[in-house]
Amino acid sequence: MTVKKICCIGAGYVGGPTCAVIAYKCPGIQVTIVDLNQARIDAWNSDNLPIYEPGLEDVVFARRGKNLFFSTDVDKAINDADLIFVSVNTPTKKTGMGAGSAADLAYVESATRRIAEVATSSKIVVEKSTVPCRTAQSMRTILEANCRENIRFDILSNPEFLAEGTAITDLFNPDRVLIGALQTEEGLKAQQALVEIYTHWVPIERVITTNLWSSELSKLAANAMLAQRISSINALSAICEATGADVDEVAYACGRDSRIGPKFLKASVGFGGSCFQKDILNLVYLAEQFHLPEVAAYWRQVVIMNEYQKERFVHRIISTLFNTITNKKIAVLGFAFKKDTGDTRESAAITLIKDFIQEHARVHLYDPKVEHAQIYMDLIEPGVADSKAQVEKHLTICSSAYEACQDADAVVVVTEWDEFKDTHLDYQKIYDSMHKPAFIFDGRLILDAPKLRKMGFKVEVIGKHNLAGTA
Ligand code: UDX
Ligand code: ADP
């Protein structure tokens, strides 16, 4: 079959860019992206898109109103479509069975039930959200138990591998597209229909077809392995700080082995983002369910190491600042979980700033893209600061790095935004405006430490031993 109309349920970081690119690359296909969140849809229909992603505006503005539509009319879009992407959120459960590790599938289930209830013709239903292995089976059971007569649903798994900040280039030029299907005649036909959509712009040899369960598990596995590399280099960064080895040099030397490769070996204050931790915990939960405690413990350690890295950095800051940051002004540069995104989910900055607030520091924060309301939402936590007013007592959100650093005792670089590099910011000006001794902590290895030391800064860098002490 040839797909003419696509519906995408969920206009978030995954559904929005992915389906906008499908509309862009397949002008003959009508794509409607729906969401229950009216404000989000209004933003998608405005000049001010709800997510920041380099290149996204060009794609959306080129096709919106032609073959790309954003709407809250979920039922109509479901009914019109031949193929439906389910791209809703699957956060880690906060309460109940599996709390803290299992994925909350309530949104997937409710979207699936909606499809079953309103569909008046057969559909291909594509699982796009990252889900635990065998979720497709549950979706199938729900669809088949609730659908009208003579309607069939074929389920595919098509996990998304885009990374935020590079979503559009990743989608234009993916390493691979993975499509899993039931190995039945109908399943394979549905798989072929989705292959045909992607091959509008992706070379066929980059499209991998597998069975449903391999596809579901591969997404968890890929994210777990990527996060594992970061935790590995971060674990080594602790050894570097203790011994005098330099983590950048170690990463480079290891990465030159073609079997290891250079990517994803950048030590940092810890990985964030909506996927890594969630997907590993998902894998942990899966292993526990199948009575594989050693496997569960193995993967859990990747998350434990990530938490340890953030803790270690906070300790290093406090101990360097003469064991107290009470009432000291700490300038934090960056709140997003990585550069080129306004997304803050699981950002290391959240943990760091909460710790600073608990130590009664005065935090002055600057991030070029994150919305202020989002920052308050992330930082309000019972026991640390119960309300916006309480957060405001400890936190000032600034409109530039210079403003944040004015009169600061220490600067902490948390996100690797290009504009924080010493080639962009005037660190001499920052040094002149700070209290002395002026400390700077580089959690992202983006600064030229020797250059800053020459200016007079006391510099501490993740994964690097400060041979001169704090001098
Ligand atoms: C990740 C996967 O890369 C992507 O394939 C998947 O679809 C979703 O999850 P994302 O979370 O958007 O993408 O960003 P990514 O670039 O992977 O970075 C995740 C975190 O790891 C960030 O906090 C980043 O700063 C950190 N990181 C990344 C490091 O600390 N060191 C590195 O070498 C790479
Ligand atoms: P992701 O990063 O996986 O894209 P987001 O949280 O950014 O996740 O986006 C998921 C979107 O899915 C949210 O905007 C949410 O409102 C939407 N959503 C969740 N459940 C439904 C549903 N049943 N119908 C329509 N939209 C939904």
PDB file of all heavy atoms in Angstrom, residues 112-142:
ATOM      1  N   THR A 112      -3.372   4.819  22.230  1.00  0.00           N
ATOM      2  CA  THR A 112      -3.733   3.596  21.512  1.00  0.00           C
ATOM      3  C   THR A 112      -5.249   3.345  21.613  1.00  0.00           C
ATOM      4  O   THR A 112      -5.908   2.999  20.625  1.00  0.00           O
ATOM      5  CB  THR A 112      -2.961   2.398  22.115  1.00  0.00           C
ATOM      6  OG1 THR A 112      -1.585   2.740  22.164  1.00  0.00           O
ATOM      7  CG2 THR A 112      -3.144   1.145  21.286  1.00  0.00           C
ATOM      8  N   ARG A 113      -5.781   3.545  22.821  1.00  0.00           N
ATOM      9  CA  ARG A 113      -7.228   3.345  23.009  1.00  0.00           C
ATOM     10  C   ARG A 113      -8.018   4.313  22.132  1.00  0.00           C
ATOM     11  O   ARG A 113      -9.052   3.984  21.571  1.00  0.00           O
ATOM     12  CB  ARG A 113      -7.619   3.540  24.479  1.00  0.00           C
ATOM     13  CG  ARG A 113      -7.221   2.371  25.337  1.00  0.00           C
ATOM     14  CD  ARG A 113      -7.741   2.487  26.755  1.00  0.00           C
ATOM     15  NE  ARG A 113      -7.231   1.385  27.548  1.00  0.00           N
ATOM     16  CZ  ARG A 113      -7.762   0.170  27.576  1.00  0.00           C
ATOM     17  NH1 ARG A 113      -8.853  -0.100  26.878  1.00  0.00           N
ATOM     18  NH2 ARG A 113      -7.217  -0.790  28.300  1.00  0.00           N
ATOM     19  N   ARG A 114      -7.490   5.536  22.026  1.00  0.00           N
ATOM     20  CA  ARG A 114      -8.171   6.543  21.208  1.00  0.00           C
ATOM     21  C   ARG A 114      -8.209   6.097  19.746  1.00  0.00           C
ATOM     22  O   ARG A 114      -9.218   6.232  19.064  1.00  0.00           O
ATOM     23  CB  ARG A 114      -7.409   7.872  21.339  1.00  0.00           C
ATOM     24  CG  ARG A 114      -8.168   9.074  20.986  1.00  0.00           C
ATOM     25  CD  ARG A 114      -9.164   9.468  22.059  1.00  0.00           C
ATOM     26  NE  ARG A 114     -10.332  10.092  21.448  1.00  0.00           N
ATOM     27  CZ  ARG A 114     -11.570   9.954  21.893  1.00  0.00           C
ATOM     28  NH1 ARG A 114     -11.824   9.220  22.955  1.00  0.00           N
ATOM     29  NH2 ARG A 114     -12.574  10.549  21.274  1.00  0.00           N
ATOM     30  N   ILE A 115      -7.086   5.555  19.292  1.00  0.00           N
ATOM     31  CA  ILE A 115      -7.037   5.090  17.894  1.00  0.00           C
ATOM     32  C   ILE A 115      -8.104   4.011  17.687  1.00  0.00           C
ATOM     33  O   ILE A 115      -8.884   4.054  16.735  1.00  0.00           O
ATOM     34  CB  ILE A 115      -5.633   4.526  17.536  1.00  0.00           C
ATOM     35  CG1 ILE A 115      -4.585   5.627  17.625  1.00  0.00           C
ATOM     36  CG2 ILE A 115      -5.637   3.900  16.149  1.00  0.00           C
ATOM     37  CD1 ILE A 115      -3.132   5.124  17.518  1.00  0.00           C
ATOM     38  N   ALA A 116      -8.146   3.046  18.624  1.00  0.00           N
ATOM     39  CA  ALA A 116      -9.092   1.944  18.491  1.00  0.00           C
ATOM     40  C   ALA A 116     -10.530   2.464  18.492  1.00  0.00           C
ATOM     41  O   ALA A 116     -11.365   2.020  17.702  1.00  0.00           O
ATOM     42  CB  ALA A 116      -8.896   0.949  19.633  1.00  0.00           C
ATOM     43  N   GLU A 117     -10.805   3.432  19.350  1.00  0.00           N
ATOM     44  CA  GLU A 117     -12.169   3.936  19.481  1.00  0.00           C
ATOM     45  C   GLU A 117     -12.652   4.692  18.253  1.00  0.00           C
ATOM     46  O   GLU A 117     -13.798   4.563  17.849  1.00  0.00           O
ATOM     47  CB  GLU A 117     -12.272   4.875  20.694  1.00  0.00           C
ATOM     48  CG  GLU A 117     -12.554   4.137  21.991  1.00  0.00           C
ATOM     49  CD  GLU A 117     -12.197   4.988  23.194  1.00  0.00           C
ATOM     50  OE1 GLU A 117     -12.439   6.214  23.150  1.00  0.00           O
ATOM     51  OE2 GLU A 117     -11.656   4.414  24.161  1.00  0.00           O
ATOM     52  N   VAL A 118     -11.769   5.513  17.671  1.00  0.00           N
ATOM     53  CA  VAL A 118     -12.281   6.408  16.635  1.00  0.00           C
ATOM     54  C   VAL A 118     -12.000   5.949  15.205  1.00  0.00           C
ATOM     55  O   VAL A 118     -12.636   6.457  14.274  1.00  0.00           O
ATOM     56  CB  VAL A 118     -11.775   7.863  16.816  1.00  0.00           C
ATOM     57  CG1 VAL A 118     -12.118   8.382  18.186  1.00  0.00           C
ATOM     58  CG2 VAL A 118     -10.302   7.975  16.547  1.00  0.00           C
ATOM     59  N   ALA A 119     -11.108   4.978  15.016  1.00  0.00           N
ATOM     60  CA  ALA A 119     -10.744   4.608  13.641  1.00  0.00           C
ATOM     61  C   ALA A 119     -11.913   3.926  12.936  1.00  0.00           C
ATOM     62  O   ALA A 119     -12.510   2.993  13.465  1.00  0.00           O
ATOM     63  CB  ALA A 119      -9.536   3.693  13.661  1.00  0.00           C
ATOM     64  N   THR A 120     -12.222   4.406  11.740  1.00  0.00           N
ATOM     65  CA  THR A 120     -13.277   3.745  10.962  1.00  0.00           C
ATOM     66  C   THR A 120     -12.699   3.047   9.727  1.00  0.00           C
ATOM     67  O   THR A 120     -13.422   2.559   8.883  1.00  0.00           O
ATOM     68  CB  THR A 120     -14.342   4.778  10.506  1.00  0.00           C
ATOM     69  OG1 THR A 120     -13.668   5.845   9.846  1.00  0.00           O
ATOM     70  CG2 THR A 120     -15.127   5.323  11.687  1.00  0.00           C
ATOM     71  N   SER A 121     -11.356   3.049   9.625  1.00  0.00           N
ATOM     72  CA  SER A 121     -10.717   2.275   8.550  1.00  0.00           C
ATOM     73  C   SER A 121      -9.404   1.702   9.085  1.00  0.00           C
ATOM     74  O   SER A 121      -8.920   2.128  10.146  1.00  0.00           O
ATOM     75  CB  SER A 121     -10.442   3.178   7.338  1.00  0.00           C
ATOM     76  OG  SER A 121      -9.606   4.239   7.722  1.00  0.00           O
ATOM     77  N   SER A 122      -8.829   0.754   8.345  1.00  0.00           N
ATOM     78  CA  SER A 122      -7.606   0.088   8.810  1.00  0.00           C
ATOM     79  C   SER A 122      -6.425   1.058   8.840  1.00  0.00           C
ATOM     80  O   SER A 122      -6.364   1.996   8.029  1.00  0.00           O
ATOM     81  CB  SER A 122      -7.282  -1.086   7.890  1.00  0.00           C
ATOM     82  OG  SER A 122      -8.337  -2.023   7.970  1.00  0.00           O
ATOM     83  N   LYS A 123      -5.514   0.824   9.752  1.00  0.00           N
ATOM     84  CA  LYS A 123      -4.376   1.740   9.928  1.00  0.00           C
ATOM     85  C   LYS A 123      -3.083   0.960  10.171  1.00  0.00           C
ATOM     86  O   LYS A 123      -3.116  -0.118  10.770  1.00  0.00           O
ATOM     87  CB  LYS A 123      -4.541   2.626  11.182  1.00  0.00           C
ATOM     88  CG  LYS A 123      -5.901   3.233  11.393  1.00  0.00           C
ATOM     89  CD  LYS A 123      -6.074   4.489  10.562  1.00  0.00           C
ATOM     90  CE  LYS A 123      -7.491   5.035  10.699  1.00  0.00           C
ATOM     91  NZ  LYS A 123      -7.885   5.864   9.563  1.00  0.00           N
ATOM     92  N   ILE A 124      -1.995   1.611   9.804  1.00  0.00           N
ATOM     93  CA  ILE A 124      -0.695   1.148  10.280  1.00  0.00           C
ATOM     94  C   ILE A 124      -0.378   2.022  11.491  1.00  0.00           C
ATOM     95  O   ILE A 124      -0.422   3.257  11.390  1.00  0.00           O
ATOM     96  CB  ILE A 124       0.395   1.327   9.205  1.00  0.00           C
ATOM     97  CG1 ILE A 124       0.059   0.482   7.970  1.00  0.00           C
ATOM     98  CG2 ILE A 124       1.764   0.954   9.762  1.00  0.00           C
ATOM     99  CD1 ILE A 124       0.983   0.714   6.784  1.00  0.00           C
ATOM    100  N   VAL A 125      -0.093   1.396  12.615  1.00  0.00           N
ATOM    101  CA  VAL A 125       0.199   2.169  13.828  1.00  0.00           C
ATOM    102  C   VAL A 125       1.684   1.993  14.144  1.00  0.00           C
ATOM    103  O   VAL A 125       2.162   0.857  14.286  1.00  0.00           O
ATOM    104  CB  VAL A 125      -0.664   1.687  15.009  1.00  0.00           C
ATOM    105  CG1 VAL A 125      -0.322   2.460  16.276  1.00  0.00           C
ATOM    106  CG2 VAL A 125      -2.144   1.851  14.678  1.00  0.00           C
ATOM    107  N   VAL A 126       2.392   3.101  14.206  1.00  0.00           N
ATOM    108  CA  VAL A 126       3.841   3.035  14.372  1.00  0.00           C
ATOM    109  C   VAL A 126       4.235   3.545  15.753  1.00  0.00           C
ATOM    110  O   VAL A 126       3.963   4.695  16.098  1.00  0.00           O
ATOM    111  CB  VAL A 126       4.565   3.889  13.294  1.00  0.00           C
ATOM    112  CG1 VAL A 126       6.073   3.690  13.379  1.00  0.00           C
ATOM    113  CG2 VAL A 126       4.046   3.561  11.915  1.00  0.00           C
ATOM    114  N   GLU A 127       4.899   2.695  16.476  1.00  0.00           N
ATOM    115  CA  GLU A 127       5.380   3.058  17.803  1.00  0.00           C
ATOM    116  C   GLU A 127       6.675   3.853  17.604  1.00  0.00           C
ATOM    117  O   GLU A 127       7.659   3.334  17.099  1.00  0.00           O
ATOM    118  CB  GLU A 127       5.642   1.709  18.461  1.00  0.00           C
ATOM    119  CG  GLU A 127       6.124   1.600  19.818  1.00  0.00           C
ATOM    120  CD  GLU A 127       6.441   0.116  20.068  1.00  0.00           C
ATOM    121  OE1 GLU A 127       7.458  -0.388  19.560  1.00  0.00           O
ATOM    122  OE2 GLU A 127       5.657  -0.528  20.766  1.00  0.00           O
ATOM    123  N   LYS A 128       6.628   5.146  17.965  1.00  0.00           N
ATOM    124  CA  LYS A 128       7.801   5.998  17.764  1.00  0.00           C
ATOM    125  C   LYS A 128       8.420   6.327  19.112  1.00  0.00           C
ATOM    126  O   LYS A 128       9.638   6.452  19.236  1.00  0.00           O
ATOM    127  CB  LYS A 128       7.349   7.298  17.056  1.00  0.00           C
ATOM    128  CG  LYS A 128       8.461   8.141  16.546  1.00  0.00           C
ATOM    129  CD  LYS A 128       8.880   7.657  15.175  1.00  0.00           C
ATOM    130  CE  LYS A 128       9.924   8.397  14.466  1.00  0.00           C
ATOM    131  NZ  LYS A 128      10.811   7.528  13.678  1.00  0.00           N
ATOM    132  N   SER A 129       7.549   6.490  20.119  1.00  0.00           N
ATOM    133  CA  SER A 129       8.057   6.774  21.466  1.00  0.00           C
ATOM    134  C   SER A 129       8.947   5.618  21.891  1.00  0.00           C
ATOM    135  O   SER A 129       8.718   4.479  21.497  1.00  0.00           O
ATOM    136  CB  SER A 129       6.920   6.842  22.478  1.00  0.00           C
ATOM    137  OG  SER A 129       5.809   7.506  21.970  1.00  0.00           O
ATOM    138  N   THR A 130       9.949   5.927  22.719  1.00  0.00           N
ATOM    139  CA  THR A 130      10.785   4.848  23.245  1.00  0.00           C
ATOM    140  C   THR A 130       9.996   4.100  24.298  1.00  0.00           C
ATOM    141  O   THR A 130       9.489   4.707  25.239  1.00  0.00           O
ATOM    142  CB  THR A 130      12.058   5.418  23.873  1.00  0.00           C
ATOM    143  OG1 THR A 130      12.687   6.201  22.899  1.00  0.00           O
ATOM    144  CG2 THR A 130      12.990   4.312  24.307  1.00  0.00           C
ATOM    145  N   VAL A 131       9.888   2.817  24.126  1.00  0.00           N
ATOM    146  CA  VAL A 131       9.037   2.022  25.018  1.00  0.00           C
ATOM    147  C   VAL A 131       9.773   0.763  25.436  1.00  0.00           C
ATOM    148  O   VAL A 131      10.716   0.344  24.769  1.00  0.00           O
ATOM    149  CB  VAL A 131       7.743   1.619  24.293  1.00  0.00           C
ATOM    150  CG1 VAL A 131       6.825   2.802  24.099  1.00  0.00           C
ATOM    151  CG2 VAL A 131       8.045   0.954  22.969  1.00  0.00           C
ATOM    152  N   PRO A 132       9.349   0.138  26.513  1.00  0.00           N
ATOM    153  CA  PRO A 132       9.993  -1.119  26.894  1.00  0.00           C
ATOM    154  C   PRO A 132       9.702  -2.189  25.847  1.00  0.00           C
ATOM    155  O   PRO A 132       8.707  -2.107  25.125  1.00  0.00           O
ATOM    156  CB  PRO A 132       9.318  -1.487  28.218  1.00  0.00           C
ATOM    157  CG  PRO A 132       8.572  -0.291  28.650  1.00  0.00           C
ATOM    158  CD  PRO A 132       8.320   0.549  27.459  1.00  0.00           C
ATOM    159  N   CYS A 133      10.607  -3.161  25.788  1.00  0.00           N
ATOM    160  CA  CYS A 133      10.447  -4.256  24.845  1.00  0.00           C
ATOM    161  C   CYS A 133       9.103  -4.938  25.081  1.00  0.00           C
ATOM    162  O   CYS A 133       8.730  -5.196  26.215  1.00  0.00           O
ATOM    163  CB  CYS A 133      11.597  -5.220  25.094  1.00  0.00           C
ATOM    164  SG  CYS A 133      11.916  -6.269  23.728  1.00  0.00           S
ATOM    165  N   ARG A 134       8.400  -5.207  24.044  1.00  0.00           N
ATOM    166  CA  ARG A 134       7.108  -5.889  23.983  1.00  0.00           C
ATOM    167  C   ARG A 134       5.913  -4.966  24.218  1.00  0.00           C
ATOM    168  O   ARG A 134       4.777  -5.425  24.363  1.00  0.00           O
ATOM    169  CB  ARG A 134       7.048  -7.112  24.912  1.00  0.00           C
ATOM    170  CG  ARG A 134       8.121  -8.155  24.553  1.00  0.00           C
ATOM    171  CD  ARG A 134       7.793  -9.536  25.052  1.00  0.00           C
ATOM    172  NE  ARG A 134       6.822 -10.237  24.220  1.00  0.00           N
ATOM    173  CZ  ARG A 134       7.132 -10.967  23.159  1.00  0.00           C
ATOM    174  NH1 ARG A 134       8.369 -11.088  22.767  1.00  0.00           N
ATOM    175  NH2 ARG A 134       6.203 -11.591  22.478  1.00  0.00           N
ATOM    176  N   THR A 135       6.121  -3.660  24.186  1.00  0.00           N
ATOM    177  CA  THR A 135       4.977  -2.746  24.288  1.00  0.00           C
ATOM    178  C   THR A 135       4.074  -2.885  23.068  1.00  0.00           C
ATOM    179  O   THR A 135       2.856  -2.757  23.172  1.00  0.00           O
ATOM    180  CB  THR A 135       5.462  -1.280  24.408  1.00  0.00           C
ATOM    181  OG1 THR A 135       6.297  -1.205  25.534  1.00  0.00           O
ATOM    182  CG2 THR A 135       4.314  -0.303  24.551  1.00  0.00           C
ATOM    183  N   ALA A 136       4.684  -3.160  21.913  1.00  0.00           N
ATOM    184  CA  ALA A 136       3.889  -3.309  20.693  1.00  0.00           C
ATOM    185  C   ALA A 136       2.820  -4.383  20.882  1.00  0.00           C
ATOM    186  O   ALA A 136       1.707  -4.271  20.366  1.00  0.00           O
ATOM    187  CB  ALA A 136       4.793  -3.669  19.521  1.00  0.00           C
ATOM    188  N   GLN A 137       3.189  -5.417  21.644  1.00  0.00           N
ATOM    189  CA  GLN A 137       2.234  -6.500  21.892  1.00  0.00           C
ATOM    190  C   GLN A 137       1.020  -5.959  22.660  1.00  0.00           C
ATOM    191  O   GLN A 137      -0.130  -6.253  22.323  1.00  0.00           O
ATOM    192  CB  GLN A 137       2.926  -7.620  22.679  1.00  0.00           C
ATOM    193  CG  GLN A 137       2.046  -8.819  22.950  1.00  0.00           C
ATOM    194  CD  GLN A 137       1.544  -9.459  21.655  1.00  0.00           C
ATOM    195  OE1 GLN A 137       2.323  -9.690  20.722  1.00  0.00           O
ATOM    196  NE2 GLN A 137       0.244  -9.718  21.579  1.00  0.00           N
ATOM    197  N   SER A 138       1.296  -5.124  23.680  1.00  0.00           N
ATOM    198  CA  SER A 138       0.187  -4.556  24.467  1.00  0.00           C
ATOM    199  C   SER A 138      -0.664  -3.654  23.584  1.00  0.00           C
ATOM    200  O   SER A 138      -1.892  -3.667  23.665  1.00  0.00           O
ATOM    201  CB  SER A 138       0.702  -3.726  25.640  1.00  0.00           C
ATOM    202  OG  SER A 138       1.734  -4.384  26.284  1.00  0.00           O
ATOM    203  N   MET A 139      -0.009  -2.882  22.718  1.00  0.00           N
ATOM    204  CA  MET A 139      -0.775  -1.982  21.841  1.00  0.00           C
ATOM    205  C   MET A 139      -1.680  -2.803  20.923  1.00  0.00           C
ATOM    206  O   MET A 139      -2.841  -2.462  20.713  1.00  0.00           O
ATOM    207  CB  MET A 139       0.188  -1.123  21.006  1.00  0.00           C
ATOM    208  CG  MET A 139       0.911  -0.067  21.834  1.00  0.00           C
ATOM    209  SD  MET A 139       2.191   0.778  20.891  1.00  0.00           S
ATOM    210  CE  MET A 139       1.230   1.828  19.809  1.00  0.00           C
ATOM    211  N   ARG A 140      -1.114  -3.894  20.431  1.00  0.00           N
ATOM    212  CA  ARG A 140      -1.881  -4.729  19.514  1.00  0.00           C
ATOM    213  C   ARG A 140      -3.110  -5.303  20.205  1.00  0.00           C
ATOM    214  O   ARG A 140      -4.215  -5.308  19.671  1.00  0.00           O
ATOM    215  CB  ARG A 140      -0.967  -5.849  19.029  1.00  0.00           C
ATOM    216  CG  ARG A 140      -1.396  -6.402  17.732  1.00  0.00           C
ATOM    217  CD  ARG A 140      -0.306  -7.269  17.168  1.00  0.00           C
ATOM    218  NE  ARG A 140      -0.934  -8.394  16.528  1.00  0.00           N
ATOM    219  CZ  ARG A 140      -0.537  -9.636  16.657  1.00  0.00           C
ATOM    220  NH1 ARG A 140       0.482  -9.933  17.421  1.00  0.00           N
ATOM    221  NH2 ARG A 140      -1.160 -10.592  16.012  1.00  0.00           N
ATOM    222  N   THR A 141      -2.894  -5.769  21.442  1.00  0.00           N
ATOM    223  CA  THR A 141      -3.998  -6.371  22.185  1.00  0.00           C
ATOM    224  C   THR A 141      -5.101  -5.329  22.407  1.00  0.00           C
ATOM    225  O   THR A 141      -6.285  -5.614  22.207  1.00  0.00           O
ATOM    226  CB  THR A 141      -3.484  -6.904  23.548  1.00  0.00           C
ATOM    227  OG1 THR A 141      -2.341  -7.699  23.285  1.00  0.00           O
ATOM    228  CG2 THR A 141      -4.535  -7.698  24.281  1.00  0.00           C
ATOM    229  N   ILE A 142      -4.693  -4.106  22.787  1.00  0.00           N
ATOM    230  CA  ILE A 142      -5.690  -3.046  23.032  1.00  0.00           C
ATOM    231  C   ILE A 142      -6.442  -2.726  21.743  1.00  0.00           C
ATOM    232  O   ILE A 142      -7.662  -2.631  21.711  1.00  0.00           O
ATOM    233  CB  ILE A 142      -5.002  -1.771  23.569  1.00  0.00           C
ATOM    234  CG1 ILE A 142      -4.455  -2.021  24.968  1.00  0.00           C
ATOM    235  CG2 ILE A 142      -5.963  -0.576  23.572  1.00  0.00           C
ATOM    236  CD1 ILE A 142      -3.551  -0.921  25.499  1.00  0.00           C
TER     237      ILE A 142
END
